[in-house]
Each structure stands twice: as C-alpha cells, then as structure tokens.
Amino acid sequence: MVTTRTVLAGLAATALLLSGCTAEGDDEVAVAERWDFHTRPELDPPKVDIDSTTMPSDDEELETFIAPKGQTDADDTSWVGGLILDSAGDPLWIRGNSGQMWDLRVQEYQDEPVLTWWEGLAETPHTAGEVVVLDDSYQEIARVGMGGQLPTDTSDLHETTITDDDTMLLLSYIKTQTDLSSVGGATDGWVWEGVVQEVDIETGKPLFEWRSLGDVPVDQSEAPLKDGEGTEEEPFDYIHLNSVSDDDGGKSLLVSARNTHAVYQLDRESADLNWVLGGKATDFEMSEGATFAWQHDAQRQDDGTLTLFDNHAAPRLGDTRGLRLDVDEKSRRAEVVTEYPAPDDRSSGSQGNLQELDNGNVVVGWGSQPYVSEFTKDGQLLSDLTFTGGSNYRAYRFDWHGRPTAPPTATKSEPEAGVTRIHMSWNGATDVAAWRILSGDDEENLNETAVVDRQGFETAADVEPEGSRIIVEALDDDGETLGSTRVRPGNG
C-alpha cells in the first residue's frame, strides 16, 4: 500500500523557464512551505513530500539530485537553485540565490567524482552559458563550453555529459539562413540550426562536430512555423536538439530532437547520419505504442534497449511516460519493452529524463511537472517525490560524498531561562552522522557536553555549557571528526 509522509527536506525550485522549453497547459503554480534554518537563514528551499512503498535496501545510500525552477516566465514564487537530498529526503546540499542551474548531477572526470551543472542565460534556443565542474569539496575545477568557431559561452543548457575519455558532449544553436518555402516560409528564411560537439575538457578543443541542416531538412519538423518566425530576428526553431549520448560502444552518438520527434544515430568518426528513429523520416517500423513525441533524453542502456522520456505533450498528443524500446537495427523495427507511466494524469510539456540505476531501477524526472519517481525495471512504481511548485530539467540518484572546504555553521540561543539551544549544520557535508558539543571557559579547557545524532540539514540540541566558549564537531559513522566550528549567537 502506498503511504504518504512529509519529509523534513528542502528543495530548490524556480528560474525563468525558457521560451523553447516552456510547458503548455500546466496548472497554476502551487506555493510550497519553505524551510527556515537558524544556522543558514538565507537558504529557504521548499519542503518536499514523498509517496512511497518500501524502498529497495540497495538504494538507501543514493542521494537525489534536482535543480528546480519556475514553470513559466510569470512564475516568480518558486525557488531557484540546486539540491542534493539523502535517501530520507533531507537536504544535504542547498545552492540557492545564485541563478538557474540545469542538469545537476554527479559524473567522473580524470577518474574522480565531480559535480556538474549548466548555468547561464537560459533563453533557449538562444542560450548563452557554460558547464561548471566542481570537485568533492565543491571547488570549481573547470568550465566547459563550445569550441572551434563557436564562442565558448554559446553552449546550450540541454546537455553536459562527460565521456570516459574526459571529453564533454555539448549542444548549441546557431542562426542559419535557409529555404523555408517547404513549411510556408520565405526562400531566404532563417532557422536555429542544431550543433553537436564533443569537446576536450582540458584543452577546449572540439573533437567532433555535426550540424543538423545537412541531414535533417526543415520539412521534417513537427513544429509549425508561427507568424513572425523564420526571420533573422526570430529564427524558426525547427529541430530543438535536447540530448546527446554515447552509443554502439563509443563508435556512435545518439541525438534526440524534440521538434522532429526523432532520435538520430551519428557515426562518431565521420559524423555521418546512420539512421533515424521516429518522426517523418524514420528508418524503423514503429510497433504499437512505440511512437514518441516531443521527447527528451535518449540513452542506450547496457542491455541494448533504448530509453527516453516521452513527453507526448505541448501540444498534448498522448500520455507522458518513461519509455524503454527494443530497437532492432537489422529488421528496422522498434517495439515497446516497458512503459513507466505517471502515477496520475500529469502531462509534462517540456524537459524530463529517465535514468537507469545499477540495480536496474529507473528514475524518472517529470520535467515541467514538479515530481521525481522511481520504478522497478519492469515498471512497478516505488516512490513519487514532489517539490510542489516549479519544474526541474532532469532528476538523478547517485552515490556522492562531499566535504566542503568551508567549516560547519553553529548558533546558540536561550529559548527560555537556563536553556542553551545549539543549532548545527554543514551545507554539502554528506558523511556527517552526529555532532559533538564541547564547552569550557576557553578553547584550551573544553569538555564534552553532548553528542547528538544528525537530524537532517540542521540539528538542534539543548545543553548546559560548562563555560562561555562552545565548539561543535561534525562526526562521521566511526566517530572521527570531519570539521569543527565555534558557536556564535543566533536569533532564538
């Protein structure tokens, strides 16, 4: 039986949703209850709810990664930022008041785990930004953008994947003049042409580039040419690339294009187009239920299946779902293996992803709808998390161990006579299991006053100090000290 519990957690949610990624038909934005931390009052993310069955035991060490933002340009109530949540839904890391973040996740660079996201001006397809790379102490070690003839800061928000070769797969859009008469436009019209690059992270050198018009003409678009579009001032967004990933053991790339309802396989060496799945120019027979529309996040999985997030919305053409396909390249036929349906009648007009975990479970981020679900591989719903308001580009679960260079934060107050209350937190420290409170007349003469288990992002304890000097220490599971700080006066 599915039970509902309110999780003491914070979630980040809001930013302006871009012109090309704005959801159509979404409900009025709901306002979530916010956190109010004594130690970090500037961090006020909304709380989350989780509907869940019993989670699999081998998922308990995984953290959830989201970067919510507003559903529409008019949404000025949702909170902008990024969040890492533990398996109970409690926040471990909150990055707020710092602008839009897209595709927050853990990757590997130079054989070390890193935290990455895209940031910049999110007005897709005319985006201007770069991918930020942090180490496990949250120190920036790289910024990655487009290479070659394209300005570095013209990378698009849709893709940030680091490959096993320490390169990054990126997307961009460039204004290109072309004949639009086949779609009712001018012969000297303009489009946003999609560009795929693979860039060496260390040098910034592009190792691969593909531009869409050479293989995908404008009449394959499923998006109508609207009044005023097709000019140099407002090019036609005919293809809208939104993901690129490794395929065929690294010999090929899979590219998803929202506005053609298609996935393209490109030869990684020659940049030739191998085949098209879906859309008007499909090379495959699409079996019953296999057709997708306005999709995101095409990925080849280890079992050979192809997964994607099938929006099927904006305009709505069917139910939004996660989708696993068997794509037989010999018989040129695509069949449904598994569907991952929404627990309710939610329709995601933009964004979204599907991540397969090591144990086979599937995480679905619902894009313009503020939900994250986990399913078994065969489609059984395990949990459904909501952050109430806003949207989120992609959602993930990873094993992450972060230890900030900045120290913990601790405050003290006297809620009543004779009671000293200590609040303790350490934003981004994932391995804190308990807090030790030391007190005395000076730092050379401190005694252990209390040890308390971590109680979420912020832990509170009432103590009787043995002097005016109070120090707190963050402890790991073995009781070893990870960091410490002096307690400062708080606001009650």
Side-chain angles (χ1 to χ4, degrees), residues 15-26 69-73 100 102 118 122-127 156-159 171 173 226 237 240-243 258-259 294-296 311 313-314 348-352 366-369 390-394:
L16 297 179
L17 233 210
L18 337 167
S19 57
C21 285
T22 299
E24 296 183 12
D26 286 328
K69 56 195 177 300
Q71 284 188 340
T72 66
D73 290 343
Q100 300 181 37
W102 290 73
W118 182 96
E123 295 180 356
T124 193
H126 185 48
T127 50
D156 179 65
L157 53 86
H158 283 98
E159 194 54 78
L171 297 171
Y173 304 102
K226 299 177 182 178
D237 185 16
H240 201 97
L241 305 181
N242 58 27
S243 77
R258 169 190 168 88
N259 285 355
W294 316 111
Q295 81 292 334
H296 289 74
N311 296 79
S348 178
S350 69
Q351 311 165 87
W366 294 97
S368 64
Q369 296 291 337
S391 67
N392 174 61
Y393 177 48
R394 291 175 176 171

Side-chain angles (χ1 to χ4, degrees), residues 297 301 307 353-357 360-365 395-398:
D297 194 31
Q301 303 300 340
T307 60
N353 73 305
L354 187 154
Q355 176 200 18
E356 185 172 86
L357 303 178
N361 285 356
V362 167
V363 174
V364 175
Y396 301 96
R397 299 195 73 201
F398 293 107

Side-chain angles (χ1 to χ4, degrees), residues 373-386:
S373 301
E374 184 166 344
F375 297 84
T376 61
K377 186 172 183 177
D378 61 5
Q380 178 186 351
L381 179 67
L382 296 173
S383 68
D384 192 41
L385 176 153
T386 178

